């Protein structure tokens, strides 16, 4: 009996010890699951991040992510337009698969998104800022999001718990306040988190915070080489797009000419919503905010009115470019400041050590290149997007990467980083081999692009493309049937379409074969093109009736 009791005690001790070891292993595994902080701005061109180029602006806080992690130099999107890009990021599927091909049709809420999967796997999830579509995002324990485009001043947020709430102040500061409040007061320390911190800025119309427009309206910025591009050597699409800063940008809403100034000078509205765009944002301001705004923008209107009669097209273009850059870059200054606030908090609390931080934009943007603003094209400034990632002890600091990566890859990357099984119907590739210095496991040499929203604002024609590090082959279709080929190494500004150059005949043959294979791989094709076109045209016709 004595020995039996000893054996029983020994067995119990071993059992308890094993159970404790299992619990400890579970706790260790839970601790190793990284937090994910996904920071995205809207229309933030890579040219306006000093980690890529310091010609226009210094962004020291955003640059910290690159300096302490990795900068991707060939990151790009699958469809360069706001809501579809976000749908691709959430679902890990191309636009024609997730159904969000343009800004017109609603997001199909039957889609399963990566935040839903992470929430089900035990992550605490939250979203603050601009989603752009949908008022009740699935897969989030907490959210406060802007309705549609939202507003820069005194914005209203749709909240999960309180309905609609209007906050006084500037949207970039408020989005950050909400994000930091969640991290400080609502984050559960026993759970990893996935936090989406999404800025409205620098989306059109560009309204900087008071502290920044006072400074930026006095600055002058270098002009791009192609500001006065005549599109010689390009096809119909470049010639007919309506994105020219002088000819198509709104005078009131974008350049901040007061309607009374325009009427005095006889300047017509840039579009039917030009005055409305100006009044929409100004109506959000308090009397004190309007007074401060007028103190800076009033003198600009007065000075312009004095010299307008003597200005030719070149002078007007130069003036409008400077006005554009002053406001666009002014909004980015506040983004950089506020990103710094969040990074500081992560560093001060020790959360940074196990947090994968991502900074990106929903697509690229034209900052006067080719005389344009906006995006949409498969051309470089629109197609390429900034992508910076920091993850201490996993990503070596200060490295760069040239591989062709896309917003299509984010969902798989986050799920794999978290140790969660990736659904087989996702279409991207995890970036983990590139983050952990195992690039040998990366085998993609070309990406697929497809833009659908035409005819519509800016009139960028429907097109799809295959892009490699060396070449870009684009097919414009529907009301044209034109091909363009760009030699990315020898023509980085994409000024010469060499599709008809006999020297590239073999290249074109190979690229067309590869493009056809990509369309099959991603389950796209001419029948789907026609189906989506018919759906769009019928809906647009119904809307106009």
């Amino acid at each position: 009996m004595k020995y039996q009791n000893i054996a029983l005690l020994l067995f119990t001790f071993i059992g308890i010890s094993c159970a404790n070891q299992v619990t400890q292993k579970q706790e260790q595994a839970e601790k190793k699951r990284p937090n994910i902080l996904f920071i995205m701005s809207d229309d933030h061109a890579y040219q306006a991040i000093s980690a890529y180029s310091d010609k226009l602006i210094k962004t020291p806080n955003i640059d910290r992510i690159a300096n302490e992690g990795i900068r991707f130099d060939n990151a790009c999107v699958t469809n360069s337009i706001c809501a579809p890009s976000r749908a691709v990021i959430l679902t890990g599927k191309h636009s024609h698969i997730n159904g969000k091909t343009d800004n017109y049709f609603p997001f199909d809420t039957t889609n399963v998104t990566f935040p839903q999967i992470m929430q089900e796997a035990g992550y605490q999830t939250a979203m603050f800022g601009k989603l752009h579509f949908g008022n009740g995002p699935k897969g989030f324990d907490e959210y406060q999001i802007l309705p549609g485009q939202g507003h820069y001043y005194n914005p209203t947020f749709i909240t999960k718990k309180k309905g609609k709430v209007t906050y006084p102040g500037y949207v970039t500061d408020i989005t950050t306040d909400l994000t930091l409040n969640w991290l400080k007061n609502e984050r559960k320390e026993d759970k990893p988190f996935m936090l989406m911190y999404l800025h409205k800025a620098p989306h059109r119309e560009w309204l900087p915070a008071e502290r920044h427009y006072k400074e930026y309206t006095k600055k002058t910025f270098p002009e791009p080489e192609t500001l006065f591009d005549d599109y010689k050597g390009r096809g119909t699409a470049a010639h007919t797009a309506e994105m020219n800063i002088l000819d198509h940008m709104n005078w009131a809403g974008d350049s901040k000419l007061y309607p009374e100034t325009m009427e005095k000078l006889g300047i017509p509205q840039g579009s039917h919503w030009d005055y409305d765009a100006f009044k929409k944002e100004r109506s959000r301001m308090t009397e004190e905010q309007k007074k401060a705004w007028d103190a800076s923008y009033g003198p600009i209107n007065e000075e312009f009115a004095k010299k307008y009669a003597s200005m030719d097209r070149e002078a007007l273009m130069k003036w409008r470019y400077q006005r554009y850059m002053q406001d666009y870059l002014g909004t980015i200054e506040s983004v950089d400041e506020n990103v710094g606030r969040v990074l500081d908090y992560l560093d001060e609390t020790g959360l940074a050590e196990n947090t994968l931080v991502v900074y990106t934009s929903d697509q690229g943007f034209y900052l006067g290149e080719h005389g344009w603003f906006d995006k949409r094209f498969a051309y470089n400034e629109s197609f390429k997007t900034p992508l910076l990632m920091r993850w201490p002890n996993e990503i070596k600091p200060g490295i760069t990467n040239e591989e062709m990566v896309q917003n299509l890859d984010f969902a798989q990357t986050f799920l794999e980083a978290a140790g969660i099984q990736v659904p087989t119907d996702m279409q991207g590739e995890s970036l983990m081999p590139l983050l952990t210095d195992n690039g040998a496991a990366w085998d993609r040499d070309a990406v697929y692009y497809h833009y659908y929203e035409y005819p519509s604002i800016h009139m960028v024609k429907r097109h799809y493309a295959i892009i490699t590090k060396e070449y870009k082959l684009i097919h414009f279709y529907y009301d044209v049937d034109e091909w363009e080929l760009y030699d990315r190494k020898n023509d980085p500004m994409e000024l010469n379409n060499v599709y008809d150059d006999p020297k590239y005949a073999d290249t074109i043959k190979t690229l067309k074969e590869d493009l056809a294979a990509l369309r099959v791989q991603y389950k796209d094709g001419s029948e789907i093109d026609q189906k989506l076109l018919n759906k769009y045209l019928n809906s647009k016709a119904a809307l106009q009736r």
Side-chain angles (χ1 to χ4, degrees):
M1 179 68 74
K2 176 180 177 182
Y3 293 109
Q4 287 178 341
N5 290 338
I6 292 172
L8 181 61
L9 287 170
L10 183 61
F11 180 79
T12 302
F13 174 77
I14 292 171
I16 293 170
S17 177
C18 290
N20 287 339
Q21 288 177 9
V22 170
T23 302
Q24 288 171 1
K25 286 180 179 179
Q26 288 174 338
E27 289 175 352
Q28 289 171 357
E30 186 72 15
K31 287 179 181 177
K32 288 180 180 178
R33 298 172 78 185
N35 305 309
I36 295 172
L37 172 61
F38 181 74
I39 312 171
M40 185 166 71
S41 295
D42 195 313
D43 293 341
H44 191 171
Y46 67 90
Q47 312 94 289
I49 295 177
S50 49
Y52 288 97
S53 171
D54 61 1
K55 290 181 180 179
L56 292 173
I57 190 172
K58 301 287 188 182
T59 53
N61 293 298
I62 296 172
D63 291 357
R64 281 166 60 184
I65 303 172
N67 296 336
E68 298 168 8
I70 185 170
R71 185 191 76 208
F72 286 92
D73 289 344
N74 265 319
C76 57
V77 296
T78 66
N79 183 359
S80 186
I81 187 169
C82 297
S85 175
R86 293 159 193 267
V88 168
I89 290 169
L90 288 171
T91 64
K93 299 174 185 178
H94 275 278
S95 299
H96 64 282
I97 298 294
N98 68 49
K100 188 63 177 164
T101 53
D102 50 50
N103 280 338
Y104 178 68
F105 291 109
F107 178 64
D108 180 358
T109 56
T110 64
N111 280 300
V112 176
T113 65
F114 82 83
Q116 287 177 265
I117 297 170
M118 298 192 79
Q119 185 186 49
E120 291 171 1
Y123 268 73
Q124 187 183 10
T125 57
M127 175 189 285
F128 300 100
K130 181 180 176 182
L131 173 60
H132 187 98
F133 60 82
N135 293 337
K138 296 191 296 184
F140 292 95
D141 299 306
E142 171 67 321
Y143 62 78
Q144 295 200 41
I145 59 173
L146 296 164
Q149 296 290 358
H151 293 275
Y152 277 104
Y153 282 89
N154 309 313
T156 299
F157 282 75
I158 298 167
T159 74
K160 184 169 185 175
K161 300 172 183 175
K162 303 175 185 176
K164 289 187 176 182
V165 178
T166 299
Y167 296 103
Y170 186 67
V171 68
T172 308
D173 302 333
I174 294 165
T175 300
T176 306
D177 291 343
L178 296 173
T179 299
L180 286 171
N181 178 70
W182 185 86
L183 283 168
K184 294 174 181 178
N185 301 314
E186 298 184 44
R187 179 180 63 86
K188 297 178 180 178
E189 296 187 5
D190 61 343
K191 276 190 167 191
F193 64 80
M194 194 290 295
L195 173 59
M196 301 189 83
Y197 167 44
L198 311 174
H199 288 293
K200 169 182 170 59
H203 194 277
R204 185 187 187 191
E205 291 76 18
W206 310 282
L207 275 72
E210 179 183 344
R211 61 187 183 275
H212 295 132
Y213 64 65
K214 285 182 176 179
E215 172 190 1
Y216 273 77
T217 53
K218 296 178 176 63
K219 288 191 173 188
T220 301
F221 299 93
E223 297 170 359
E225 292 181 46
T226 57
L227 182 63
F228 293 95
D229 194 348
D230 61 4
Y231 315 116
K232 182 180 179 181
R234 263 65 50 83
T236 303
H239 284 85
T240 58
E242 297 178 357
M243 305 196 308
N244 185 271
I245 291 172
L246 176 57
D247 296 327
H248 303 118
M249 187 177 276
N250 283 333
W251 285 94
D254 294 327
S255 294
K256 311 304 188 300
L257 283 189
Y258 293 5
E260 52 267 33
T261 302
M262 293 171 58
E263 290 165 6
K264 173 184 174 183
L265 298 174
I267 299 174
Q269 295 188 64
S271 68
H272 66 272
W273 69 87
D274 192 352
Y275 287 177
D276 289 341
F278 180 87
K279 293 172 183 176
K280 176 189 70 174
E281 291 294 349
R282 192 170 166 82
S283 68
R284 305 289 300 190
M285 298 180 184
T286 64
E287 289 305 312
E288 184 178 352
Q289 289 168 337
K290 288 178 184 177
K291 184 177 179 181
W293 179 269
D294 291 339
S296 288
Y297 287 91
I300 290 172
N301 275 252
E302 293 170 7
E303 181 185 356
F304 179 78
K306 290 177 183 177
K307 62 183 182 181
Y308 174 68
S310 65
M311 298 172 76
D312 58 13
R313 282 184 59 84
E314 180 178 343
L316 286 169
M317 179 63 142
K318 288 174 173 286
W319 184 87
R320 299 204 75 183
Y321 169 75
Q322 294 299 331
R323 281 274 51 254
Y324 173 30
M325 287 299 94
Q326 289 165 357
D327 290 342
Y328 178 91
L329 296 171
T331 68
I332 288 173
E333 184 76 30
S334 64
V335 172
D336 186 68
E337 285 178 349
N338 280 284
V339 167
R341 291 174 61 200
V342 175
L343 293 179
D344 286 347
Y345 179 78
L346 295 180
D347 292 346
E348 290 162 4
T349 57
L351 283 171
E353 288 303 306
N354 194 35
T355 299
L356 170 59
V357 177
V358 179
Y359 187 89
T360 190
S361 173
D362 51 357
Q363 64 263 317
F365 213 68
Y366 290 103
L367 303 185
E369 299 89 0
H370 309 292
W372 287 336
F373 67 107
D374 207 71
K375 57 261 184 179
R376 300 166 195 268
F377 274 114
Y379 302 145
N380 200 48
E381 290 82 9
S382 168
F383 162 76
K384 181 176 173 179
T385 192
L387 180 59
L388 314 170
M389 294 188 180
R390 181 186 82 173
W391 189 4
N393 305 314
E394 297 291 340
I395 300 175
K396 293 179 181 178
I399 60 176
T400 60
N401 185 277
E402 296 288 333
E403 296 297 340
M404 301 294 297
V405 303
Q406 288 190 293
N407 56 353
L408 184 70
D409 303 324
F410 294 164
Q412 286 95 317
T413 303
F414 301 151
L415 292 175
E416 184 174 332
I420 301 170
Q421 185 172 352
V422 178
T424 56
D425 60 349
M426 284 188 173
Q427 294 183 305
E429 295 183 32
S430 169
L431 303 180
M432 286 296 287
L434 304 178
L435 303 183
T436 56
D437 203 26
N438 184 23
W442 185 264
D443 60 1
R444 178 194 286 158
D445 56 11
V447 295
Y448 181 59
Y449 179 91
H450 202 150
Y451 175 77
Y452 301 87
E453 191 173 294
Y454 175 86
S456 186
I457 182 175
H458 299 304
M459 296 300 284
V460 173
K461 293 186 181 296
R462 290 174 177 248
H463 59 289
Y464 55 85
I466 180 173
I467 301 97
T468 69
K469 293 177 185 176
E470 294 81 21
Y471 299 104
K472 181 177 294 180
L473 180 68
I474 309 171
H475 181 213
F476 292 95
Y477 68 97
Y478 168 43
D479 58 348
V480 294
D481 182 9
E482 295 181 3
W483 290 84
E484 295 182 2
L485 175 69
Y486 294 95
D487 186 328
R488 301 186 74 200
K489 297 293 185 182
N490 296 313
D491 181 21
M493 288 191 288
E494 299 175 328
L495 296 175
N496 300 298
N497 172 21
V498 294
Y499 183 78
D500 293 324
D501 188 332
K503 290 191 305 183
Y504 292 91
D506 290 341
T507 298
I508 290 170
K509 182 176 182 294
T510 300
L511 286 172
K512 282 191 172 181
E513 291 171 354
D514 292 345
L515 175 58
L518 278 181
R519 277 166 69 82
V520 171
Q521 175 186 335
Y522 292 125
K523 302 178 182 178
D524 202 4
S526 57
E527 289 185 8
I528 296 174
D529 297 345
Q530 191 62 48
K531 180 181 177 182
L532 291 171
L533 174 60
N534 291 341
K535 179 183 177 184
Y536 181 81
L537 293 176
N538 290 336
S539 296
K540 293 289 283 188
L543 181 66
Q544 290 167 357
R545 285 199 298 269

